[in-house]
Structure formats: structure tokens, C-alpha cells
Amino acid sequence: QVQLAESGGDSVQAGGSLRLSCAASGWTYSSYCMGWFRQSPGNEREGVATINSNGYTTYADSVKGRFSISLDNAKTSLYLQMNSVKPEDTAMYFCAARHTTSLCSVSYPAAFGYWGQGTQVTVSS
């Protein structure tokens, strides 16, 4: 059974940095796509960044140049390094995964079948 568990969410001031982690267990697929999504009250869930088993990454325009997605060598932990954070980055951040590299993009949150419970990021001005 695949399980995803996020951690690292916190309250931070604008301009600061934060690193989110997602621990994946029960994952046995060699081809996959993993990503970070976020949702704030009253808004739809939006893609932040994705990475596939080939190392290909995609980012939302709003975070390009500021956020970086990565996987550890064992492919059991997903990370999101968040730099120069802004108040508009405030949201619940979710880790997601799917066992194929197709549709591995921030544009297709509905294509992801496995989700974590989320970790809250709050950025104050």
C-alpha cells in the first residue's frame, strides 16, 4: 500500500526559505511521477512542481526560479526547496504520486492517484 507523508511546513517571513519533505512507503514502481501541489482556502488545488523517474521537472510559472523539486537517491523521499517565499505562497502543500511518467505536469493534478495529508506553509509579510 502506497503511503505519502509530508513534513516541514511552518510559518516563515517573506523572503525566507523552507524545505518540505515527503516520505514515500510501499512504492515499487520503476516508472513514476511525483509532485507538489498546494491549495489555499477558497481556491482550487494547483500544481507547484513535478518530477518523473527520468528526472524531468516542471514548475508553475509562479514559482520558477524560487522553488526546486528533487528526489533522494533511494527514490523514497521527495523534497521541495522553497526560497524567496512570498505571502501568496501561503497554502496547504500536498505530495502526490502516480505510477507512470505520462501527464507528469503541474497542469494535471487530477491525474495523480496517491496523495499525502498535507503540510501547512504560512508566509507573513
Side-chain angles (χ1 to χ4, degrees):
Q1 181 180 0
V2 175
Q3 291 187 322
L4 303 173
E6 304 93 335
S7 62
D10 204 348
S11 296
V12 62
Q13 287 195 326
S17 297
L18 207 58
R19 190 191 196 205
L20 305 183
S21 299
C22 173
S25 60
W27 194 259
T28 60
Y29 304 104
S30 58
S31 294
Y32 54 83
C33 172
M34 300 188 76
W36 288 97
F37 296 81
R38 66 187 181 187
Q39 187 169 20
S40 54
N43 294 316
E44 292 184 355
R45 189 168 297 187
E46 64 173 349
V48 177
T50 63
I51 186 168
N52 70 15
S53 47
N54 297 318
Y56 180 76
T57 59
T58 71
Y59 292 92
D61 288 342
S62 59
V63 306
K64 281 181 181 177
R66 301 188 298 121
F67 291 8
S68 178
I69 188 171
S70 62
L71 280 165
D72 70 345
N73 290 336
K75 307 297 190 291
T76 57
S77 291
L78 179 72
Y79 303 101
L80 183 69
Q81 179 66 43
M82 305 169 63
N83 298 326
S84 302
V85 296
K86 304 176 180 179
E88 51 263 43
D89 294 322
T90 295
M92 183 73 78
Y93 283 70
F94 298 89
C95 170
R98 60 195 304 261
H99 51 83
T100 176
T101 57
S102 64
L103 298 181
C104 190
S105 166
V106 295
S107 301
Y108 304 108
F112 289 76
Y114 302 102
W115 292 86
Q117 295 300 306
T119 185
Q120 179 66 38
V121 172
T122 302
V123 182
S124 58
S125 57

